[in-house]
Amino acid sequence: QLQASGGGLVQAGGSLRLSCQAIGHTGSAYSWGWFRQAPGLGREFVASISGRERKPYYADVVKGRFTISRDAAKNTVYLQMNNLKTEDMAVYYCARSPYGSGGISTLSDRSKYDYWGQGTLVTVSS
């Protein structure tokens, strides 16, 4: 089970930190990802962190503004979002991948994730 939280309403330029607690998904080999889905659009890759190297990957549109991290002791993955823009407004989903590595070509692929959280809504006002 993946429990995502931390969404809310923020003004453009503001920050939010999303959390995703993995219950029952222990093991350092898993990679973790954040995806988002805006109304009327498909679910798109935002960021991921590989299980083996702990290497982060980002979509170009969030690079330099978002940071993904993982606290293994808490079994929690975070997405720090800074300088939010109205186009960042979406439901954000965390997900687990059994692929421990593979680079961004693998970890940005939704089909490579087998467990998904329920989503948390991020609203950015102008």
Side-chain angles (χ1 to χ4, degrees), residues 6 15 22-24 29 32 47 55 66 70 72 79 82 94-95 97-98 104 107 109 112 116:
S15 299
I23 300 173
W32 303 90
K55 186 173 182 179
F66 291 11
R70 180 184 174 191
L79 185 68
N82 297 329
C94 61
S97 172
I104 192 171
L107 297 181
D109 184 347
K112 298 300 192 289
W116 293 80

CSV table of all heavy atoms in Angstrom, one decimal, residues 6 15 22-24 29 32 47 55 66 70 72 79 82 94-95 97-98 104 107 109 112 116:
chain,number,residue,atom,x,y,z
A,6,GLY,N,0.3,15.4,1.3
A,6,GLY,CA,1.0,16.7,1.2
A,6,GLY,C,0.5,17.6,0.1
A,6,GLY,O,1.0,18.8,0.0
A,15,SER,N,5.9,26.6,-2.5
A,15,SER,CA,6.4,25.3,-2.4
A,15,SER,C,5.5,24.3,-1.7
A,15,SER,O,4.7,24.7,-0.9
A,15,SER,CB,7.8,25.3,-1.6
A,15,SER,OG,8.7,26.2,-2.3
A,22,ALA,N,5.4,3.9,2.0
A,22,ALA,CA,5.2,2.6,1.5
A,22,ALA,C,5.0,1.6,2.7
A,22,ALA,O,5.8,1.5,3.5
A,22,ALA,CB,6.4,2.2,0.7
A,23,ILE,N,3.8,1.1,2.7
A,23,ILE,CA,3.4,0.1,3.8
A,23,ILE,C,3.5,-1.3,3.2
A,23,ILE,O,2.7,-1.6,2.3
A,23,ILE,CB,2.1,0.4,4.4
A,23,ILE,CG1,2.1,1.8,5.0
A,23,ILE,CG2,1.7,-0.6,5.5
A,23,ILE,CD1,0.7,2.3,5.4
A,24,GLY,N,4.4,-2.0,3.8
A,24,GLY,CA,4.6,-3.4,3.3
A,24,GLY,C,5.4,-3.6,2.0
A,24,GLY,O,5.6,-4.6,1.5
A,29,ALA,N,15.8,-2.6,-3.2
A,29,ALA,CA,15.9,-2.8,-4.6
A,29,ALA,C,14.8,-2.1,-5.5
A,29,ALA,O,15.0,-1.9,-6.6
A,29,ALA,CB,15.8,-4.3,-4.9
A,32,TRP,N,11.3,4.2,-7.1
A,32,TRP,CA,10.1,4.9,-6.8
A,32,TRP,C,9.9,6.1,-7.7
A,32,TRP,O,10.9,6.7,-8.1
A,32,TRP,CB,10.1,5.4,-5.3
A,32,TRP,CG,10.4,4.2,-4.4
A,32,TRP,CD1,11.5,3.7,-3.9
A,32,TRP,CD2,9.3,3.4,-3.8
A,32,TRP,NE1,11.3,2.6,-3.1
A,32,TRP,CE2,10.0,2.4,-3.0
A,32,TRP,CE3,8.0,3.4,-3.8
A,32,TRP,CZ2,9.3,1.5,-2.3
A,32,TRP,CZ3,7.3,2.5,-3.1
A,32,TRP,CH2,7.9,1.5,-2.4
A,47,ALA,N,9.2,12.5,-11.7
A,47,ALA,CA,10.5,12.2,-11.1
A,47,ALA,C,10.6,10.8,-10.6
A,47,ALA,O,9.6,10.2,-10.3
A,47,ALA,CB,10.9,13.2,-9.9
A,55,LYS,N,19.7,7.1,-7.6
A,55,LYS,CA,19.9,8.1,-8.5
A,55,LYS,C,18.6,8.8,-8.9
A,55,LYS,O,17.7,8.0,-9.2
A,55,LYS,CB,20.6,7.6,-9.8
A,55,LYS,CG,21.0,8.7,-10.8
A,55,LYS,CD,21.9,8.1,-11.9
A,55,LYS,CE,22.3,9.2,-12.9
A,55,LYS,NZ,23.1,8.6,-14.0
A,66,PHE,N,12.0,20.7,-8.7
A,66,PHE,CA,11.6,19.6,-7.9
A,66,PHE,C,12.8,18.7,-7.5
A,66,PHE,O,13.7,18.6,-8.2
A,66,PHE,CB,10.6,18.7,-8.7
A,66,PHE,CG,9.3,19.3,-9.0
A,66,PHE,CD1,9.0,20.7,-8.8
A,66,PHE,CD2,8.2,18.6,-9.5
A,66,PHE,CE1,7.8,21.3,-9.0
A,66,PHE,CE2,7.0,19.1,-9.7
A,66,PHE,CZ,6.8,20.5,-9.5
A,70,ARG,N,14.5,9.9,-0.7
A,70,ARG,CA,13.9,8.8,0.0
A,70,ARG,C,14.6,8.6,1.3
A,70,ARG,O,15.8,8.7,1.5
A,70,ARG,CB,14.2,7.5,-0.9
A,70,ARG,CG,13.7,6.2,-0.2
A,70,ARG,CD,14.0,5.0,-1.0
A,70,ARG,NE,13.6,3.8,-0.3
A,70,ARG,CZ,13.9,2.6,-0.6
A,70,ARG,NH1,14.7,2.4,-1.7
A,70,ARG,NH2,13.5,1.6,0.0
A,72,ALA,N,14.9,5.7,3.8
A,72,ALA,CA,14.7,4.3,3.9
A,72,ALA,C,14.2,3.9,5.3
A,72,ALA,O,13.4,3.0,5.4
A,72,ALA,CB,16.0,3.6,3.6
A,79,LEU,N,8.7,14.3,-2.5
A,79,LEU,CA,8.9,15.2,-3.7
A,79,LEU,C,8.8,16.6,-3.2
A,79,LEU,O,7.7,17.1,-2.9
A,79,LEU,CB,7.8,14.9,-4.8
A,79,LEU,CG,8.0,15.6,-6.1
A,79,LEU,CD1,9.3,15.2,-6.8
A,79,LEU,CD2,6.8,15.5,-7.0
A,82,ASN,N,9.4,23.2,-5.6
A,82,ASN,CA,9.6,24.6,-5.4
A,82,ASN,C,9.3,25.4,-6.6
A,82,ASN,O,9.2,24.9,-7.7
A,82,ASN,CB,11.1,24.9,-5.0
A,82,ASN,CG,11.5,24.2,-3.7
A,82,ASN,OD1,10.7,24.1,-2.8
A,82,ASN,ND2,12.8,23.8,-3.6
A,94,CYS,N,2.3,8.6,-6.5
A,94,CYS,CA,3.6,7.9,-6.2
A,94,CYS,C,3.4,6.4,-6.7
A,94,CYS,O,2.3,5.9,-6.7
A,94,CYS,CB,4.0,8.0,-4.8
A,94,CYS,SG,2.9,7.2,-3.6
A,95,ALA,N,4.5,5.8,-7.0
A,95,ALA,CA,4.4,4.4,-7.5
A,95,ALA,C,5.7,3.7,-7.2
A,95,ALA,O,6.8,4.3,-7.1
A,95,ALA,CB,4.1,4.5,-9.0
A,97,SER,N,8.4,0.7,-8.5
A,97,SER,CA,8.8,-0.2,-9.6
A,97,SER,C,9.7,-1.3,-9.1
A,97,SER,O,10.6,-1.0,-8.3
A,97,SER,CB,9.6,0.7,-10.6
A,97,SER,OG,10.2,-0.1,-11.6
A,98,PRO,N,9.5,-2.5,-9.6
A,98,PRO,CA,10.4,-3.6,-9.3
A,98,PRO,C,11.8,-3.5,-10.0
A,98,PRO,O,12.7,-4.2,-9.7
A,98,PRO,CB,9.7,-4.8,-9.7
A,98,PRO,CG,8.8,-4.3,-10.8
A,98,PRO,CD,8.4,-2.9,-10.5
A,104,ILE,N,16.5,6.7,-17.0
A,104,ILE,CA,15.2,7.4,-17.1
A,104,ILE,C,14.3,6.8,-18.2
A,104,ILE,O,13.1,6.9,-18.1
A,104,ILE,CB,15.5,8.9,-17.5
A,104,ILE,CG1,14.2,9.7,-17.3
A,104,ILE,CG2,16.1,9.0,-18.9
A,104,ILE,CD1,14.4,11.2,-17.4
A,107,LEU,N,12.6,4.2,-15.9
A,107,LEU,CA,11.8,4.7,-14.8
A,107,LEU,C,10.9,5.8,-15.1
A,107,LEU,O,10.1,6.2,-14.2
A,107,LEU,CB,12.8,5.1,-13.7
A,107,LEU,CG,13.7,4.0,-13.2
A,107,LEU,CD1,14.7,4.4,-12.1
A,107,LEU,CD2,12.8,2.8,-12.6
A,109,ASP,N,8.7,5.3,-17.5
A,109,ASP,CA,7.7,4.5,-18.2
A,109,ASP,C,6.7,4.0,-17.2
A,109,ASP,O,7.0,3.2,-16.3
A,109,ASP,CB,8.4,3.3,-18.9
A,109,ASP,CG,7.4,2.5,-19.7
A,109,ASP,OD1,6.2,2.6,-19.5
A,109,ASP,OD2,7.9,1.7,-20.5
A,112,LYS,N,6.3,0.3,-16.1
A,112,LYS,CA,7.4,-0.3,-15.3
A,112,LYS,C,7.0,-0.2,-13.8
A,112,LYS,O,7.8,-0.6,-13.0
A,112,LYS,CB,8.7,0.3,-15.6
A,112,LYS,CG,9.2,0.2,-17.0
A,112,LYS,CD,9.3,-1.3,-17.4
A,112,LYS,CE,10.1,-1.5,-18.7
A,112,LYS,NZ,9.3,-1.0,-19.9
A,116,TRP,N,0.6,1.6,-7.1
A,116,TRP,CA,0.3,3.0,-7.2
A,116,TRP,C,-0.4,3.5,-6.0
A,116,TRP,O,-1.2,2.8,-5.4
A,116,TRP,CB,-0.5,3.3,-8.4
A,116,TRP,CG,0.2,3.1,-9.7
A,116,TRP,CD1,0.4,1.9,-10.4
A,116,TRP,CD2,0.8,4.1,-10.5
A,116,TRP,NE1,1.1,2.1,-11.5
A,116,TRP,CE2,1.4,3.4,-11.7
A,116,TRP,CE3,1.0,5.5,-10.4
A,116,TRP,CZ2,2.1,4.1,-12.6
A,116,TRP,CZ3,1.7,6.1,-11.4
A,116,TRP,CH2,2.3,5.5,-12.5
